[in-house]
Amino acid sequence: MSHVAVTGANGFVGRQLVRALLLHGQQVTAIVRHGAAGSGGFRQCVVGESAVSSWPADLKPDSVIHLAARVHVMRESAADSLAAFREANVAGALRVAQAAHRAGARRMVFVSSIKALAETDSGRPLREDDTPLPQDPYGVSKLEAERVLAHFGEQSGLEIVIARPPLVYGPEVRANFLQMMSAIAKGIPLPLGALAARRSLVYNENLADALILCASHPLAAGECFHITDGTDLSIAELAHALGGHLHKRVWLPPVPAGWLLAAGRLSGQLPQIERLIQPLRVDSSRIRETLQWQPPFSVDAGLKLTAHWYRSMHRGNAS
């Protein structure tokens, strides 16, 4: 039995990852900044800003999966957004790596983001060795963290594995994905019928399964992997699939992309609109070929389970 420590274990992906590790028979320590009730079956460690100084002396995992991060902020309050992202995502990740190395861990899996590479695929699915062109402070900080950790691994001997997921969805999802489900469940028209660009995504149980493999497989050491469901959907296809699983008719008026962009500029939501319009296909063949990984759930199965969760939580809207 291997001992895996998970930072950010009380987040959306972290909770699923801890459940999956326990099902795999692993010993789990959840490293969080704030304690949570109901942590049955695993140890929970509450640490402060400096993981190095507050890392428990008796915590000696075989590997660490680092999920904790500063993510997208809808209404940025920091005076220097990039500095805030760098402190949390670059310096924070390095502190965890240093603490893990001091504790004798063999490997650290850093959960980065496809945004460290690009915001759009420019004509073909993105591969791990494409030239990085991050477009916002979050993506810049994730790329810098990848490079800092790779350098630390070379110096210290700690095995570093980089995982880059695209959009992650599943039960308990929040943000734009939840807003789309809510609109579909309420029968609200979505002006997305003219959008044909395809985007990759990954179901949270598929991501957890891949991360567990990244933490243990000998051939994963030093590698960077893109992790997806393997099926790319247009936003209209995604909406129709969710509507089918929510048992709701979906109305997608074919509003031209130019009109949507204009509305985004006027409303201050241009980045969100651009993400809907631009393609972002991700090539995940490296992890499939190198580690022989296959996602346990198809995209349709993942959407069905996500919609079932939504219906169970919002029966008044989705019945």
Coordinates of all heavy atoms in Angstrom, one line a residue, residues 134-210:
P134 N 0.8 31.1 -22.9 CA -0.3 31.4 -21.9 C -0.7 32.8 -22.1 O 0.1 33.7 -22.4 CB 0.4 31.2 -20.6 CG 1.8 31.3 -20.8 CD 2.1 30.8 -22.2
Q135 N -2.0 33.1 -21.9 CA -2.6 34.4 -22.2 C -3.1 35.2 -21.0 O -3.5 36.3 -21.1 CB -3.8 34.2 -23.2 CG -3.4 33.6 -24.5 CD -2.5 34.4 -25.3 OE1 -2.7 35.6 -25.5 NE2 -1.3 33.9 -25.7
D136 N -3.1 34.6 -19.8 CA -3.5 35.3 -18.6 C -2.6 35.0 -17.4 O -1.8 34.1 -17.5 CB -5.0 35.1 -18.3 CG -5.3 33.6 -18.0 OD1 -4.3 32.8 -17.8 OD2 -6.5 33.3 -17.8
P137 N -2.8 35.8 -16.4 CA -1.9 35.5 -15.2 C -2.0 34.1 -14.6 O -1.0 33.6 -14.2 CB -2.4 36.6 -14.2 CG -2.9 37.7 -15.0 CD -3.6 37.0 -16.2
Y138 N -3.1 33.5 -14.7 CA -3.3 32.1 -14.2 C -2.4 31.2 -15.0 O -1.7 30.4 -14.5 CB -4.8 31.7 -14.2 CG -5.0 30.3 -14.0 CD1 -4.9 29.8 -12.7 CD2 -5.4 29.4 -15.0 CE1 -5.1 28.4 -12.4 CE2 -5.6 28.0 -14.7 CZ -5.4 27.6 -13.4 OH -5.7 26.2 -13.2
G139 N -2.6 31.3 -16.4 CA -1.8 30.4 -17.3 C -0.3 30.7 -17.1 O 0.5 29.7 -17.1
V140 N 0.1 31.9 -17.0 CA 1.5 32.3 -16.9 C 2.0 31.6 -15.6 O 3.1 31.0 -15.6 CB 1.7 33.8 -16.9 CG1 3.1 34.2 -16.4 CG2 1.4 34.4 -18.3
S141 N 1.3 31.7 -14.5 CA 1.8 31.2 -13.2 C 1.9 29.7 -13.3 O 2.8 29.1 -12.7 CB 0.9 31.7 -12.1 OG -0.4 31.0 -12.2
K142 N 1.0 29.0 -14.0 CA 1.0 27.6 -14.1 C 2.2 27.1 -14.9 O 2.9 26.2 -14.5 CB -0.3 27.0 -14.7 CG -1.4 27.0 -13.7 CD -1.2 26.0 -12.6 CE -2.5 25.7 -11.8 NZ -2.3 24.7 -10.8
L143 N 2.5 27.8 -16.0 CA 3.7 27.5 -16.8 C 5.0 27.7 -16.0 O 5.9 26.9 -16.0 CB 3.7 28.3 -18.0 CG 4.9 28.1 -19.0 CD1 5.0 26.6 -19.4 CD2 4.9 29.0 -20.1
E144 N 5.1 28.8 -15.3 CA 6.2 29.1 -14.5 C 6.4 28.1 -13.4 O 7.6 27.7 -13.1 CB 6.1 30.5 -13.9 CG 6.3 31.6 -14.9 CD 6.2 33.0 -14.3 OE1 5.9 33.1 -13.1 OE2 6.4 34.0 -15.0
A145 N 5.3 27.6 -12.8 CA 5.4 26.6 -11.8 C 5.9 25.3 -12.4 O 6.8 24.6 -11.7 CB 4.0 26.4 -11.1
E146 N 5.5 24.9 -13.5 CA 6.0 23.7 -14.2 C 7.5 23.8 -14.3 O 8.2 22.8 -14.0 CB 5.3 23.6 -15.6 CG 3.9 23.2 -15.6 CD 3.3 23.1 -17.0 OE1 4.2 23.1 -18.0 OE2 2.1 23.0 -17.2
R147 N 8.0 24.9 -14.8 CA 9.4 25.1 -15.0 C 10.2 25.1 -13.7 O 11.3 24.5 -13.6 CB 9.7 26.3 -15.9 CG 9.1 26.2 -17.3 CD 9.2 27.5 -18.1 NE 8.9 27.3 -19.5 CZ 8.7 28.2 -20.4 NH1 8.7 29.5 -20.0 NH2 8.4 27.9 -21.6
V148 N 9.7 25.8 -12.7 CA 10.4 25.8 -11.4 C 10.5 24.4 -10.8 O 11.5 24.0 -10.3 CB 9.7 26.8 -10.5 CG1 10.1 26.6 -9.0 CG2 10.0 28.3 -10.9
L149 N 9.4 23.7 -10.9 CA 9.4 22.3 -10.3 C 10.3 21.4 -11.1 O 10.9 20.5 -10.5 CB 7.9 21.8 -10.3 CG 7.0 22.5 -9.3 CD1 5.6 22.0 -9.5 CD2 7.4 22.3 -7.9
A150 N 10.3 21.5 -12.4 CA 11.2 20.6 -13.2 C 12.6 20.9 -12.8 O 13.4 20.0 -12.6 CB 11.0 20.9 -14.7
H151 N 13.0 22.2 -12.6 CA 14.3 22.5 -12.2 C 14.7 22.0 -10.8 O 15.7 21.4 -10.6 CB 14.5 24.0 -12.2 CG 15.9 24.5 -11.9 ND1 17.0 24.2 -12.6 CD2 16.3 25.2 -10.7 CE1 18.1 24.7 -12.0 NE2 17.7 25.3 -10.9
F152 N 13.7 22.1 -9.9 CA 13.9 21.6 -8.5 C 14.1 20.1 -8.6 O 14.9 19.5 -7.9 CB 12.7 22.0 -7.6 CG 12.9 21.4 -6.2 CD1 13.7 22.1 -5.3 CD2 12.1 20.3 -5.8 CE1 13.8 21.6 -4.0 CE2 12.3 19.8 -4.6 CZ 13.1 20.4 -3.6
G153 N 13.3 19.4 -9.4 CA 13.4 18.0 -9.5 C 14.7 17.5 -10.0 O 15.3 16.5 -9.5
E154 N 15.3 18.2 -11.0 CA 16.6 17.9 -11.5 C 17.7 18.1 -10.5 O 18.6 17.3 -10.4 CB 16.9 18.8 -12.7 CG 16.0 18.5 -14.0 CD 16.2 19.6 -15.0 OE1 17.0 20.5 -14.8 OE2 15.6 19.4 -16.1
Q155 N 17.5 19.1 -9.6 CA 18.5 19.4 -8.6 C 18.4 18.4 -7.4 O 19.5 18.0 -6.9 CB 18.4 20.8 -8.1 CG 18.8 21.9 -9.1 CD 18.8 23.2 -8.5 OE1 17.9 23.6 -7.7 NE2 19.9 24.0 -8.7
S156 N 17.2 18.1 -7.0 CA 17.0 17.3 -5.8 C 16.8 15.8 -6.0 O 17.0 15.1 -5.0 CB 15.7 17.9 -5.1 OG 14.6 17.6 -5.9
G157 N 16.4 15.4 -7.2 CA 16.1 14.0 -7.4 C 14.6 13.7 -7.2 O 14.2 12.5 -7.4
L158 N 13.8 14.6 -6.7 CA 12.4 14.4 -6.6 C 11.8 14.3 -8.0 O 12.0 15.1 -8.8 CB 11.7 15.6 -5.9 CG 10.2 15.5 -5.7 CD1 9.8 14.4 -4.7 CD2 9.7 16.9 -5.2
E159 N 11.1 13.2 -8.2 CA 10.5 12.9 -9.5 C 9.3 13.9 -9.7 O 8.4 13.9 -8.9 CB 10.0 11.5 -9.7 CG 11.1 10.5 -9.6 CD 10.7 9.0 -9.6 OE1 9.4 8.8 -9.5 OE2 11.5 8.1 -9.7
I160 N 9.3 14.6 -10.8 CA 8.2 15.6 -11.0 C 7.4 15.1 -12.2 O 7.9 14.7 -13.3 CB 8.7 17.0 -11.3 CG1 9.5 17.5 -10.1 CG2 7.6 17.9 -11.6 CD1 8.8 17.7 -8.8
V161 N 6.1 15.0 -12.1 CA 5.2 14.7 -13.2 C 4.2 15.9 -13.3 O 3.6 16.3 -12.4 CB 4.4 13.4 -12.9 CG1 3.5 13.1 -14.1 CG2 5.3 12.3 -12.5
I162 N 4.0 16.4 -14.6 CA 3.1 17.5 -14.8 C 1.9 16.9 -15.5 O 2.0 16.2 -16.5 CB 3.8 18.5 -15.8 CG1 5.1 19.0 -15.2 CG2 2.8 19.7 -16.1 CD1 5.0 19.7 -13.9
A163 N 0.7 17.3 -15.0 CA -0.6 16.9 -15.6 C -1.3 18.2 -16.0 O -1.5 19.1 -15.2 CB -1.4 16.1 -14.5
R164 N -1.7 18.2 -17.2 CA -2.5 19.4 -17.7 C -3.9 19.0 -18.2 O -4.1 18.5 -19.3 CB -1.7 20.0 -18.9 CG -0.4 20.7 -18.7 CD 0.1 21.2 -20.0 NE 1.4 21.8 -19.8 CZ 2.3 21.9 -20.8 NH1 2.0 21.3 -22.0 NH2 3.5 22.5 -20.7
P165 N -4.9 19.2 -17.3 CA -6.2 18.9 -17.8 C -6.8 20.2 -18.4 O -6.4 21.3 -18.1 CB -7.0 18.7 -16.4 CG -6.2 19.4 -15.4 CD -4.8 19.5 -15.9
P166 N -7.8 20.0 -19.3 CA -8.6 21.1 -19.8 C -9.8 21.3 -18.8 O -9.6 21.1 -17.6 CB -9.1 20.6 -21.2 CG -9.2 19.1 -21.0 CD -8.2 18.7 -20.0
L167 N -10.9 21.8 -19.3 CA -12.1 22.0 -18.4 C -12.4 20.7 -17.7 O -12.6 19.6 -18.3 CB -13.3 22.4 -19.3 CG -14.6 22.4 -18.6 CD1 -14.7 23.5 -17.5 CD2 -15.8 22.6 -19.6
V168 N -12.6 20.7 -16.4 CA -12.9 19.6 -15.6 C -14.4 19.7 -15.2 O -14.8 20.8 -14.7 CB -12.1 19.5 -14.3 CG1 -12.4 18.2 -13.6 CG2 -10.6 19.5 -14.7
Y169 N -15.2 18.7 -15.3 CA -16.6 18.7 -14.9 C -16.9 17.4 -14.1 O -16.1 16.5 -14.1 CB -17.5 18.8 -16.2 CG -17.5 17.5 -17.0 CD1 -18.5 16.5 -16.9 CD2 -16.4 17.2 -17.9 CE1 -18.4 15.4 -17.6 CE2 -16.4 16.1 -18.6 CZ -17.4 15.1 -18.5 OH -17.3 14.0 -19.2
G170 N -18.1 17.4 -13.6 CA -18.5 16.2 -12.8 C -19.5 16.7 -11.7 O -19.7 17.9 -11.5
P171 N -20.0 15.7 -10.9 CA -20.8 16.1 -9.8 C -20.1 17.1 -8.9 O -18.9 17.0 -8.7 CB -21.0 14.8 -9.0 CG -21.0 13.8 -10.1 CD -19.9 14.3 -11.1
E172 N -20.8 18.1 -8.4 CA -20.3 19.2 -7.5 C -19.6 20.3 -8.3 O -18.9 21.2 -7.8 CB -19.4 18.7 -6.4 CG -20.1 17.7 -5.5 CD -19.1 17.1 -4.4 OE1 -18.1 17.8 -4.1 OE2 -19.4 16.1 -3.9
V173 N -19.6 20.2 -9.7 CA -19.0 21.2 -10.5 C -19.6 22.6 -10.2 O -20.8 22.7 -9.8 CB -19.1 20.9 -12.0 CG1 -20.6 21.0 -12.5 CG2 -18.2 21.7 -12.9
R174 N -18.8 23.6 -10.5 CA -19.3 25.0 -10.2 C -19.0 25.9 -11.5 O -18.8 25.4 -12.5 CB -18.6 25.6 -9.0 CG -18.9 24.9 -7.7 CD -20.3 25.2 -7.3 NE -20.7 24.6 -6.0 CZ -21.2 23.4 -5.8 NH1 -21.5 22.7 -6.9 NH2 -21.5 22.9 -4.6
A175 N -19.1 27.2 -11.3 CA -18.8 28.2 -12.3 C -19.6 28.0 -13.6 O -20.8 27.7 -13.5 CB -17.3 28.1 -12.6
N176 N -19.0 28.2 -14.7 CA -19.7 28.3 -16.0 C -20.5 27.0 -16.4 O -21.6 27.0 -16.9 CB -18.8 28.7 -17.2 CG -18.2 30.1 -17.0 OD1 -18.8 30.9 -16.4 ND2 -17.1 30.3 -17.6
F177 N -19.9 25.9 -16.0 CA -20.5 24.6 -16.4 C -21.8 24.4 -15.6 O -22.9 24.0 -16.1 CB -19.6 23.4 -16.0 CG -19.9 22.1 -16.8 CD1 -19.2 21.8 -17.9 CD2 -20.9 21.3 -16.3 CE1 -19.5 20.6 -18.6 CE2 -21.2 20.1 -17.0 CZ -20.5 19.8 -18.2
L178 N -21.8 24.8 -14.3 CA -23.0 24.7 -13.5 C -24.0 25.7 -14.0 O -25.3 25.4 -14.1 CB -22.7 25.0 -12.0 CG -23.8 25.0 -11.1 CD1 -24.6 23.7 -11.1 CD2 -23.4 25.4 -9.7
Q179 N -23.6 26.9 -14.4 CA -24.5 27.9 -14.9 C -25.2 27.4 -16.2 O -26.4 27.7 -16.4 CB -23.8 29.2 -15.2 CG -23.3 29.9 -14.0 CD -22.5 31.2 -14.3 OE1 -22.4 31.6 -15.4 NE2 -21.8 31.7 -13.2
M180 N -24.5 26.7 -17.1 CA -25.1 26.2 -18.3 C -26.1 25.1 -17.9 O -27.2 25.1 -18.5 CB -24.0 25.5 -19.2 CG -24.6 24.8 -20.4 SD -23.4 24.0 -21.4 CE -22.8 25.4 -22.3
M181 N -25.8 24.2 -17.0 CA -26.8 23.2 -16.6 C -28.1 23.9 -16.0 O -29.2 23.4 -16.3 CB -26.2 22.2 -15.6 CG -25.3 21.2 -16.2 SD -25.1 19.8 -15.1 CE -24.2 20.5 -13.8
S182 N -27.8 24.9 -15.2 CA -29.0 25.6 -14.6 C -29.9 26.2 -15.7 O -31.1 26.1 -15.6 CB -28.5 26.6 -13.6 OG -29.5 27.3 -13.0
A183 N -29.2 26.9 -16.7 CA -30.0 27.5 -17.7 C -30.8 26.5 -18.5 O -32.0 26.7 -18.8 CB -29.1 28.3 -18.6
I184 N -30.2 25.3 -18.8 CA -30.9 24.3 -19.6 C -32.0 23.7 -18.7 O -33.1 23.5 -19.3 CB -29.9 23.2 -19.9 CG1 -28.9 23.7 -21.0 CG2 -30.6 21.9 -20.5 CD1 -27.7 22.7 -21.2
A185 N -31.8 23.5 -17.5 CA -32.8 22.9 -16.6 C -34.0 23.9 -16.5 O -35.2 23.4 -16.3 CB -32.2 22.6 -15.2
K186 N -33.8 25.2 -16.6 CA -34.9 26.2 -16.4 C -35.5 26.5 -17.8 O -36.4 27.3 -17.9 CB -34.3 27.4 -15.8 CG -33.9 27.2 -14.3 CD -33.2 28.5 -13.8 CE -32.7 28.2 -12.4 NZ -32.0 29.4 -11.8
G187 N -35.0 25.9 -18.9 CA -35.5 26.2 -20.2 C -35.1 27.5 -20.8 O -35.8 28.1 -21.6
I188 N -34.0 28.1 -20.3 CA -33.6 29.4 -20.8 C -32.9 29.2 -22.1 O -32.0 28.4 -22.2 CB -32.6 30.1 -19.8 CG1 -33.4 30.3 -18.4 CG2 -32.1 31.4 -20.3 CD1 -32.5 30.8 -17.3
P189 N -33.2 30.0 -23.1 CA -32.5 29.9 -24.4 C -31.1 30.3 -24.3 O -30.7 31.3 -23.6 CB -33.3 30.9 -25.3 CG -34.6 31.1 -24.7 CD -34.4 31.0 -23.2
L190 N -30.2 29.6 -25.0 CA -28.8 29.9 -25.0 C -28.4 30.2 -26.4 O -28.5 29.4 -27.3 CB -28.0 28.7 -24.5 CG -28.3 28.2 -23.0 CD1 -27.6 26.9 -22.7 CD2 -27.8 29.3 -22.0
P191 N -27.8 31.4 -26.7 CA -27.5 31.8 -28.0 C -26.3 31.2 -28.6 O -25.4 31.9 -29.0 CB -27.4 33.3 -27.9 CG -26.8 33.5 -26.5 CD -27.5 32.4 -25.7
L192 N -26.2 29.9 -28.6 CA -25.0 29.2 -28.9 C -25.1 28.3 -30.2 O -24.2 27.5 -30.5 CB -24.6 28.3 -27.7 CG -24.5 29.0 -26.4 CD1 -24.2 28.0 -25.3 CD2 -23.4 30.1 -26.4
G193 N -26.2 28.3 -30.9 CA -26.5 27.4 -32.0 C -25.5 27.5 -33.1 O -25.4 26.6 -33.9
A194 N -24.9 28.7 -33.3 CA -24.0 28.9 -34.4 C -22.5 28.6 -34.1 O -21.7 28.7 -35.0 CB -24.1 30.4 -34.9
L195 N -22.3 28.1 -32.9 CA -20.9 27.9 -32.5 C -20.5 26.5 -32.8 O -21.1 25.5 -32.2 CB -20.7 28.2 -31.0 CG -21.1 29.7 -30.6 CD1 -20.8 29.9 -29.1 CD2 -20.4 30.7 -31.5
A196 N -19.5 26.3 -33.6 CA -19.1 24.9 -34.0 C -17.7 24.5 -33.5 O -17.3 23.3 -33.7 CB -19.1 24.8 -35.5
A197 N -17.0 25.4 -32.9 CA -15.7 25.1 -32.4 C -15.7 24.0 -31.3 O -16.6 24.0 -30.4 CB -15.0 26.4 -31.8
R198 N -14.8 23.1 -31.4 CA -14.8 22.0 -30.5 C -13.7 22.2 -29.4 O -12.7 22.8 -29.6 CB -14.5 20.7 -31.2 CG -15.6 20.3 -32.2 CD -15.3 18.9 -32.8 NE -16.4 18.6 -33.7 CZ -17.5 18.0 -33.3 NH1 -17.6 17.6 -32.0 NH2 -18.5 17.7 -34.1
R199 N -14.1 21.7 -28.2 CA -13.2 21.9 -27.0 C -13.1 20.6 -26.3 O -14.1 19.8 -26.2 CB -13.7 23.0 -26.1 CG -13.8 24.4 -26.8 CD -14.3 25.4 -25.9 NE -13.4 25.8 -24.8 CZ -12.4 26.7 -24.9 NH1 -12.3 27.4 -26.0 NH2 -11.7 27.0 -23.9
S200 N -11.9 20.3 -25.7 CA -11.7 19.1 -24.9 C -12.2 19.3 -23.5 O -12.2 20.5 -23.0 CB -10.3 18.7 -24.9 OG -9.8 18.4 -26.2
L201 N -12.5 18.3 -22.8 CA -12.9 18.3 -21.4 C -12.5 17.0 -20.7 O -12.2 16.0 -21.4 CB -14.3 18.7 -21.2 CG -15.4 17.8 -21.8 CD1 -16.8 18.2 -21.2 CD2 -15.5 17.9 -23.3
V202 N -12.6 17.0 -19.4 CA -12.3 15.8 -18.7 C -13.2 15.6 -17.5 O -13.4 16.5 -16.7 CB -10.8 15.7 -18.3 CG1 -10.4 16.8 -17.3 CG2 -10.5 14.3 -17.7
Y203 N -13.8 14.4 -17.4 CA -14.7 14.1 -16.2 C -13.8 13.9 -15.0 O -12.7 13.4 -15.1 CB -15.4 12.8 -16.5 CG -16.4 12.3 -15.5 CD1 -17.3 13.2 -14.9 CD2 -16.3 11.0 -15.0 CE1 -18.2 12.7 -14.0 CE2 -17.2 10.6 -14.1 CZ -18.1 11.4 -13.5 OH -19.0 11.0 -12.6
N204 N -14.2 14.4 -13.8 CA -13.4 14.4 -12.7 C -12.9 13.0 -12.2 O -11.8 12.9 -11.7 CB -14.0 15.2 -11.5 CG -15.3 14.6 -11.0 OD1 -15.8 13.7 -11.5 ND2 -15.8 15.2 -9.9
E205 N -13.7 12.0 -12.4 CA -13.3 10.7 -12.1 C -12.2 10.2 -13.0 O -11.3 9.4 -12.6 CB -14.5 9.7 -12.0 CG -15.4 10.0 -10.8 CD -16.4 8.8 -10.6 OE1 -15.9 7.7 -10.5 OE2 -17.6 9.1 -10.5
N206 N -12.3 10.5 -14.3 CA -11.3 10.2 -15.2 C -9.9 10.9 -14.9 O -8.9 10.3 -14.9 CB -11.6 10.6 -16.7 CG -12.7 9.7 -17.3 OD1 -12.9 8.6 -16.8 ND2 -13.4 10.2 -18.3
L207 N -10.0 12.2 -14.5 CA -8.8 12.9 -14.1 C -8.2 12.2 -12.8 O -7.0 12.0 -12.8 CB -9.2 14.4 -13.8 CG -8.0 15.2 -13.3 CD1 -6.9 15.2 -14.3 CD2 -8.5 16.7 -13.1
A208 N -9.0 11.9 -11.9 CA -8.5 11.3 -10.6 C -7.8 10.0 -11.0 O -6.7 9.7 -10.4 CB -9.6 11.1 -9.6
D209 N -8.4 9.2 -11.8 CA -7.8 7.9 -12.2 C -6.4 8.1 -12.9 O -5.5 7.4 -12.6 CB -8.8 7.2 -13.2 CG -8.3 5.8 -13.5 OD1 -8.5 4.9 -12.6 OD2 -7.8 5.5 -14.6
A210 N -6.3 9.1 -13.7 CA -5.1 9.4 -14.4 C -4.0 9.9 -13.4 O -2.8 9.5 -13.5 CB -5.3 10.4 -15.5

